[in-house]
Amino acid sequence: MLVHPQFDPVAINLGFFQIHWYGLTYLAAFGLFYLLATRRIRHAPYAAGGWTAREVEDLLFFGVLGVILGGRIGYVLFYKPGYYLANPLEIFAVWKGGMAFHGGLLGVLVAMVVFARLRGRRFFEVTDLVAPCVPTGLACGRLGNFINGELWGRAADASLPWAMVFPQSGSELPRHPSQLYQFALEGLALFVLLWFYGRSRGAHTSAAGGVVWGRVSGAFLVGYGSFRFIAEYFREPDSFLGLLALNLSMGQWLCVPMIVAGALIWWWAGRSAVAR
């Protein structure tokens, strides 16, 4: 049975200035997004669409705003609305933690709508570009969770070779290192699937030869929602919520509409090809 190594959450301490590992994982996430997106605009059909590295930089700026604002607002509304209603100033105390992926996703979608309108791009053209570049950022975030020893897993059989004790949980129970499960599923596996699918002819070309927008975005929603739903069976539910109806966590319930929406978008995209 392993014990969480209790990393110092501060990566660089200059006394008057501290840089946390979690902040570095966000920085790595944004850097990987830029690297992948600038490569993706060289692929069909983006190569013929006039996309530039400068547009990717602007897209990243909009995305960062969407992630931070949406992630925080989503956490407030989805997980602790009563607490923050009673303590509204705590909403701005982001250094205390509290970000929700599903809220961050909604924030990014709003940011993409604004970006698409300002640049005269189709919405799903933008989201199809973004989708394969997101999972590596999610992987970075889950590594940050593991380093911080937070969002630990449910109790596991002590005979499980990688079962781990998280002292931060307040118990000596062996647990699933669910952060690493999510790193592998929502991060690495989803990235590989979307990257190669996004480069395939079927992702962007209809049988009639028109350009298809939306299939990659739909695949992202279905893929992330499915992987997250599975991982939630190994992740300890939030103590202030516990398990909800049908013994599902809040994270799982939020994944259900995501999977349904993704499947509908993928189906709709195949019927809405645009002429070249």
Side-chain angles (χ1 to χ4, degrees):
M1 190 167 59
L2 307 174
V3 178
H4 184 266
Q6 299 292 280
F7 297 100
D8 185 343
V10 178
I12 302 174
N13 190 344
L14 302 178
F16 63 93
F17 183 71
Q18 294 181 339
I19 299 177
H20 289 243
W21 283 110
Y22 201 64
L24 291 179
T25 62
Y26 265 75
L27 184 62
F30 298 141
L32 284 170
F33 174 87
Y34 179 78
L35 176 65
L36 293 171
T38 51
R39 289 182 61 86
R40 183 148 167 74
I41 60 174
R42 304 173 195 168
H43 304 163
Y46 294 99
W51 281 82
T52 66
R54 178 61 183 271
E55 276 190 286
V56 172
E57 293 170 6
D58 293 340
L59 183 60
L60 176 59
F61 174 76
F62 277 84
V64 169
L65 289 180
V67 166
I68 295 175
L69 295 178
R72 184 59 173 174
I73 294 171
Y75 182 79
V76 170
L77 295 179
F78 298 153
Y79 291 92
K80 289 187 174 182
Y83 173 81
Y84 288 106
L85 183 63
N87 303 275
L89 293 180
E90 287 289 306
I91 294 174
F92 304 100
V94 293
W95 56 89
K96 294 183 179 180
M99 298 286 281
F101 168 81
H102 297 89
L105 175 63
L106 292 175
V108 168
L109 291 178
V110 172
M112 297 303 97
V113 168
V114 175
F115 175 87
R117 289 187 175 182
L118 290 176
R119 294 306 176 93
R121 299 284 186 182
R122 293 181 178 85
F123 171 71
F124 282 118
E125 176 185 0
V126 176
T127 57
D128 278 6
L129 169 64
V130 167
C133 309
V134 170
T136 52
L138 300 178
C140 290
R142 294 311 175 192
L143 281 181
N145 294 145
F146 181 76
I147 291 172
N148 287 346
E150 60 192 4
L151 305 183
W152 49 78
R154 303 187 192 190
D157 192 309
S159 64
L160 187 71
W162 54 84
M164 182 173 291
V165 173
F166 288 86
Q168 296 94 326
S169 69
S171 75
E172 297 299 313
L173 287 174
R175 297 179 178 274
H176 291 280
S178 56
Q179 313 96 322
L180 300 184
Y181 296 177
Q182 291 185 264
F183 166 83
L185 290 174
E186 304 159 17
L188 300 186
L190 186 58
F191 166 70
V192 171
L193 291 173
L194 287 178
W195 188 259
F196 286 101
Y197 177 63
R199 294 195 64 178
S200 68
R201 178 177 174 81
H204 292 294
T205 307
S206 70
V211 177
V212 174
W213 298 117
R215 278 183 173 168
V216 181
S217 301
F220 170 83
L221 293 175
V222 172
Y224 177 85
S226 300
F227 283 143
R228 175 69 181 267
F229 193 94
I230 294 169
E232 285 282 331
Y233 280 116
F234 301 95
R235 176 173 163 175
E236 183 74 12
D238 295 289
S239 59
F240 51 87
L241 286 177
L243 294 175
L244 306 177
L246 302 180
N247 283 327
L248 299 179
S249 67
M250 174 62 85
Q252 287 174 310
W253 276 114
L254 292 173
C255 285
V256 172
M258 177 182 293
I259 295 171
V260 173
L264 290 175
I265 290 170
W266 192 93
W267 171 81
W268 168 85
R271 298 169 58 89
S272 306
V274 296
R276 288 187 180 275

